[in-house]
Amino acid sequence: MAAKGGKKKELSSRTSASSKTVSMNAKVAAANEKWGFPIWPEWHDADINAEKWDKAGKEKPGKGQISPGFDDPEGKIRLPASLKVHSWKRPQEFLTKEVPVIVKNETSFDLVSANEHIFCSELMRWIVSEIYAVWRIYNENSLNSETSTLVWKPWEHIYALCKATQEHIPLYNKFGKYVLKLYWMGCWRKITVDDTMPFNEEENLLLPATACQNELWPMLLSKAIIKLANTSIHETGKREVEEFTVLHTLTGWIPEVIPLQPEYLDKVWGFLKEIVPEFKLPEKKAPEPEITQDDTKPEETKDSELKNEVSSMNKLPDTIEKAETATNVSKESPIPTQPEMVVYAGCIPLNLFEEDIFLLTRMADSSEKMRQYGLSHIHSHPVLITRTRSCPLVAPPEPPPLPSWKLIRPKKKIVVTSEPQEPVVEKSEEHIEIASLFLNYKLSVITIPTDIHFPQSTLKKGFHSVSNLTSVTETDENESDSNGDMNQNRRHSNAEDYSQETIALCHQNAELSSKEELPENISLDAKQMSETADTDMKSYTGTKSKDETESEKTSVSRETWMSFEDFCVCFQNLYVFHKPHTYAYNYQKTCFMSTDDEVFYYLLVDSLMPIEILVSFSALVHWYVTEGTKQECSMGVLRVERFSWKSVTPGELVLKMRTSATKATVINLPVGRHILLFAVNCPIGHHIHLCTMVPCVFGEEDTVMPALQKESSRFVEQATAILKAVGNVINNFSSKDELPKALKELEVAHCPPGLHGTKMAEENVKVFNNAFWYLIKSVLDKKDLCRYKFAFRSFTLDFKDTDISGDDTVFSESSEEKSLSSWENQTPTSEEAAAAVKLQAIWRGTYIRKILKSREPGTKENTEVEETLKNLWTVIELNFEQCAVTLLREMFKRNCNSVEKFPCYEDEWCKTYFTDYAVTYADQPPNAWFLVFREIFIVPEDMLVLTKVFTTIPSCRLHVLDNDTQEEMPHAFFKVTPHVYPKNKKGYTFVAEAHTGDQPVAAGKWKLRFISSQSPLPFLSREAVNNIYSTKQFKEYYIPNDEFLLFRYFVKVTAPHTATLQVQTSNSDVFIKLQVLDNEKEITSVIGKGNAVIPVFSFWGNQSLPSSYLKNQEIIQSSTRKGSETGQLKKASNNSLKNSKSSSKSDLVQEAPVIKIDKSFILENFENNVGSPQQSHQYTIEALVLHDSWLLTESESLLVQELKEMQKNEIKVKKIASIPESTIRSKDKVFEKTEKEKFQNERGSLESQPADSNTPYWILRIVSEQKEADFLEMKKDTRRADEIRAMKEAWESAEPGRAVKAFQERVRFINKYAVRDSEEPIAGAETANLTPSSGETGEKAPQTAIGSRLKTQQKKWKLIDLSPYMRKTMSESVLRNESIIQQQQMRKEEKINHFRQLRKLVLEQRQKEENDRVLLKQNILEMYENLQASLDETRGRVYSIREAYRNQLLEAERRKQEELAAQEAALQAEQKKRIADRKKKR
């Protein structure tokens, strides 16, 4: 039984292994609460033993009383649409005369005779057929034997009033509660049903029932199966079954659906021959009655077929769900050598898809063939494939022996005909035996003649036609012909021997007649035999008794042979059920999670043999088990693709499965290491089951990645082969005959295939030598290298290797240190140099001769080298595999092109190292920004590094900066792309920032993972990760200005410091630029929308404030003595400073070695980034609003106006004349205190302001480490306000009362145009009130003036005459009425119509001009074409005349040459004649 499991479980062992931690009850309760429906619990015997069978169900609605019978809490099951439910009854209601029982007949059952009215339902036909199929697969051998011991009983899936034992018998429960054990979503589950049965209007039971009316097991089992089927059947689908398989729920076997496509039928036939038993003829010729016995399945074949099934099915739940290790399995049971399978075939009625006109021809062919074999073409047919056959059923008789004299010169038979000879194509015997319960079920077989080939004409060339023609007799198609007894070509498992003999004869007749395989010499005997079989069959059929007919009805199933070609026409799909317990390794993953997000799993497989993996995918897409419940339906999708963490592009798609039930397929992978990504998208839940014969690693990323650090199998195999070849050379080093062979084997081993004899092979030899020397140094001590060096030279005969020659000085440095030191400051003479060269040459020659001599067996040097190498080999053998891997890995590190030719080099892309660094963060409020991680990492060498972040924060972004160049690594989809990080001096800074969004974020863990192909990975620049940060936050309202300046702050740095800067605005659509200036020069900047972050900036200390700012301070102090103190305090109160310290603990998960860095590293980093400590730095932080993108609303504008007025009031000058200095100092202190309290109150209101969208504000955050928080001092740039205040205070000190007088004049000017409620003028009173009379009056004067001004503004103003500013279109003003409006509208419409007409004319004119241009263009083109044609014609004529003239000249020249040749010949002849005449005369 399966162990208790939670939402996710995994089975990964040799046969099956499970990892379950949460109890079943907690799981079910959590599922019910989360999804609102019960996930059926996993099966446990203890739960059944503790079950309360008398527990009543839910209350009936409206009555308020508990029903005496158990009612299913999930409601009534939903039957297919083809079955109309009228009422529901319990057994005691429809079985009034008999006592209900669960099982009555324990040896057989009949589910056909009593269920004819429900076979219109496809689901019911499949349920009945597959129950019979499982019964046949397990129990056929037992039923045919004398001692019948049933292996599988369908009623053993039902539990009621019994314990969970192996051979239990369920009892009838009067309360109506039953529990069934069925396989669903990866494990056996507990399905609870009641005993209410559906009936139609005719009072017919709508569930399968046996011939015994009081047996209840078929109904209860069908109810539970329909429950499971309803979770995968779509209401809008055209089929009732869809992809649901009953066989899977009864056995747990994995269904693989193989569509029968014409493209690969040959492969399907080969596949069936491998997994299905094959019918073969007996080796020896047997008598005729025994030949017919072969038609039935032999006992030996059945025993071999069901051997594993019988032994495993009885304990199938235990073998599938027990958690066993590989060692335990190997001890208890042998490792499966080959998976076992059962093949089913399914026929989908094509009339459901008749809107597809391309299926009409296929539908006609399919229906014809199915009627021919006794199958219905209207309903779906599940059939079981029992055997295949590649030979005839009856062995053909041997031809009579021929005399030896006829074999000397055999004559070839020549047939002279007037018709062309067609080549005879011999078709191979391909037949399949199918078994089905519905074979010839209520269907009269329509025999269709298949012999459509007419005999060839006997009229030969030169023959006259024969007058006495034989008569032709017409026969009915339904009469007996060559296929007349096709309906009798069946095999019954319980039939008598006589029927078997007769059926075999019919098989022989049908096969031989349809395929035209009767030899000529036995045609007469075969025909006689077929006629005899026909008559015997007819007589036997006519004389059958009623008992025999009843026995045929109750048979398990019927069989018939079908040609594979017809089989592919009739059926569309093959259902191959794989038995998981016959696979060596099983891995499972189950997840119930109501989400639309994809769930990812990873598979690592590494093998030296081709890999075959069975992938089963079960999807729970909707919960639809009862009547009246409907939910949206969708399909579960499983996508399998090749994957690598070092690439951001998606890998090659290997498999894509869509299902709403359970579907499986086989993935074939080549030799090597592969990583596959399983992406699952399923609304409610899913289950993945992998079956394979090779070990794998399957699970989440953290499960798979540790296995990737190991070397691949091909890599280890190649490394082992190389080191074994090295050992072979060492063992045969003193053998003259074997040493060359061993060296040749070593060269073949370390040189990739296809490179022998090339230049690349020479480079590979050098790489191997260097790697072998590295291996020697790694396994030996440095002090012993001197005596192994000579042996290595003798082994490799390599004298030019720089890596090895560089080590020659190691053993001689100590002895020659003094002599070398004496030559350091001397310049050798030419004689000394020549002598040194001569000594080197002599030494080198001697050394090389000594090495070559050591290769000669029998010499002293050879013996010493052999002994040294054997000592080395002894050390290597202690850790042979590790040394082999080191040797080949060092060859790969040399980056030679030759290593890419190794087959194992393909696995390097899957080799991965990783290390994790984890920190924790505290609870964060909504709409907050905070820093999660900031550390400097050192990259030891150039390497490709992938960074991956694990966090539950909705918005988190990682920044990586090169500290040498201050460049940020590129991003793709807000993630850092895999990048080759070159080795630098200052390392790389990794910064992670986060936004919380609208919801608060609970405290959690944040993890950064480095992934690379090399080791060691980047490591920290200090011992541990620091996660305690201090945040300085500045928050103020936004006030627009001409410079578009958001803020400007001066920074005073007391010590080298690294900080992160972030600015955020209340309006997320504002483009802002955050920049840091040094001496008014931009150092770094970043542009963002609503948010801008400078991840890292290094400040250098020893900085003073800007000189302009200090100069202004000196002016203020010299002019107003103590006034500057008040101004500075006022400015200090305006600079809001908020320190938010997050005291969260840091958790470091580090797998790479930690390398300690000197304490001066950070200081050196600052010196390199900024400059020398003596350099003066004046840092400024400012932000600008770009593109005028911050547009204020009306309410925001009013707030800005008030803020501007407040700023004006801040720079007002108080009356300070004629007041003692002590009084001024005391009053200033009081004022500073009140101003500070006032500012804090305003600051508190500003902090609570962000919730209001009508307040424009900005926030500046500066994040530092907590121990460095005091290194920065921020001061707002208030130079302009200080200059104005200093100017006014200087005026006031020069002329006391100047500010008050100016204010009084302004108030008088305003009151002059104000409408007063009273007739008495208030200007004098205001003036008297504003005139200071004492120190107290001088202090209150500004406040009184401000109050009077506000009162004046609240008074009513006179109406202003706006007539001078109004534009007059008429001499007199006229009231605008409807007629005027109508006239204006008419005039406007006339203008519009006029414009439209004008526009239309213009467009027509433009179109006409365009057409004219097109016509002109065509005419010009035609003219140019004509000119070109005439030019070509004229050129041709000229060329022809020139050619004719040339030919004439050539002809004249030829003639001239001929004439000259003729003349010359004549002269020569004449000379010869003269010479001859002269000789004669002499």
Side-chain angles (χ1 to χ4, degrees), residues 1152-1418:
V1154 178
I1155 301 178
K1156 296 184 179 180
I1157 305 299
D1158 189 9
K1159 294 182 179 180
S1160 62
F1161 172 78
I1162 300 178
L1163 183 60
E1164 181 183 356
N1165 188 15
F1166 278 103
E1167 292 178 357
N1168 294 329
N1169 282 341
V1170 183
S1172 61
Q1174 290 79 13
Q1175 184 179 355
S1176 176
H1177 299 279
Q1178 300 174 358
Y1179 293 108
T1180 306
I1181 302 175
E1182 68 177 18
L1184 302 175
V1185 178
L1186 302 180
H1187 314 301
D1188 196 11
S1189 56
W1190 199 332
L1191 302 178
L1192 302 179
T1193 61
E1194 185 177 356
S1195 58
E1196 292 177 347
S1197 300
L1198 294 176
L1199 179 62
V1200 168
Q1201 287 297 117
E1202 295 180 2
L1203 294 176
K1204 289 183 177 180
E1205 293 294 333
M1206 292 174 62
Q1207 284 186 351
K1208 291 181 180 179
N1209 293 333
E1210 287 179 1
I1211 60 175
K1212 293 293 183 182
V1213 180
K1214 300 182 295 298
K1215 177 65 178 176
I1216 60 174
S1218 65
I1219 299 177
E1221 184 176 355
S1222 59
T1223 306
I1224 294 175
R1225 186 179 296 109
S1226 61
K1227 292 184 179 296
D1228 285 343
K1229 291 181 180 179
V1230 175
F1231 178 75
E1232 289 173 8
K1233 185 176 180 180
T1234 56
E1235 286 292 329
K1236 188 174 182 180
E1237 293 176 356
K1238 180 181 178 182
F1239 173 76
Q1240 289 178 354
N1241 295 333
E1242 292 178 356
R1243 191 62 187 169
S1245 63
L1246 182 58
E1247 291 295 334
S1248 61
Q1249 196 66 29
D1252 188 3
S1253 59
N1254 296 328
T1255 56
Y1257 64 91
W1258 54 264
I1259 301 175
L1260 171 64
R1261 299 181 179 93
I1262 301 178
V1263 184
S1264 309
E1265 293 187 8
Q1266 188 177 17
K1267 60 182 180 180
E1268 301 176 357
D1270 299 332
F1271 291 175
L1272 288 183
E1273 295 182 7
M1274 303 290 294
K1275 195 173 187 65
K1276 188 176 181 181
D1277 183 9
T1278 58
R1279 290 178 297 178
R1280 179 59 180 168
D1282 292 340
E1283 290 177 359
I1284 296 175
R1285 184 180 293 106
M1287 188 183 303
K1288 291 187 176 183
E1289 290 178 351
W1291 291 344
E1292 185 68 23
S1293 61
E1295 184 180 351
R1298 178 186 176 94
V1300 176
K1301 293 178 181 179
F1303 182 74
Q1304 290 176 356
E1305 291 296 331
R1306 182 170 178 270
V1307 171
R1308 290 193 188 96
F1309 178 78
I1310 292 175
N1311 292 338
K1312 182 178 179 181
Y1313 296 97
V1315 179
R1316 299 172 179 80
D1317 295 336
S1318 61
E1319 296 181 357
E1320 297 179 357
I1322 64 173
E1326 291 176 355
T1327 304
N1329 293 333
L1330 292 176
T1331 304
S1333 59
S1334 63
E1336 183 180 359
T1337 306
E1339 182 179 355
K1340 295 182 179 179
Q1343 298 178 358
T1344 308
I1346 293 172
S1348 62
R1349 186 189 65 171
L1350 294 176
K1351 291 180 181 180
T1352 305
Q1353 291 179 353
Q1354 293 176 358
K1355 295 183 180 297
K1356 296 181 180 180
W1357 300 87
K1358 291 183 179 180
L1359 294 177
I1360 302 175
D1361 185 12
L1362 301 178
S1363 57
Y1365 307 101
M1366 297 175 60
R1367 185 179 63 181
K1368 296 182 179 180
T1369 57
M1370 302 178 62
S1371 58
E1372 296 181 359
S1373 300
V1374 179
L1375 182 62
R1376 193 180 183 192
N1377 51 19
E1378 294 182 359
S1379 60
I1380 295 176
I1381 295 173
Q1382 188 174 3
Q1383 291 177 3
Q1384 293 178 352
Q1385 187 68 23
M1386 291 176 61
R1387 286 195 296 270
K1388 185 181 295 183
E1389 291 178 357
E1390 290 177 358
K1391 290 182 180 180
I1392 293 173
N1393 293 333
H1394 178 70
F1395 174 75
R1396 287 177 178 174
Q1397 294 177 0
L1398 182 61
R1399 182 176 179 274
K1400 184 177 180 181
L1401 293 176
V1402 171
L1403 292 177
E1404 290 177 355
Q1405 184 65 23
R1406 290 181 179 177
Q1407 187 66 29
K1408 183 178 179 181
E1409 292 177 356
E1410 185 177 358
N1411 295 337
D1412 293 342
R1413 287 194 298 271
V1414 172
L1415 182 60
L1416 179 61
K1417 180 180 178 181
Q1418 294 178 355

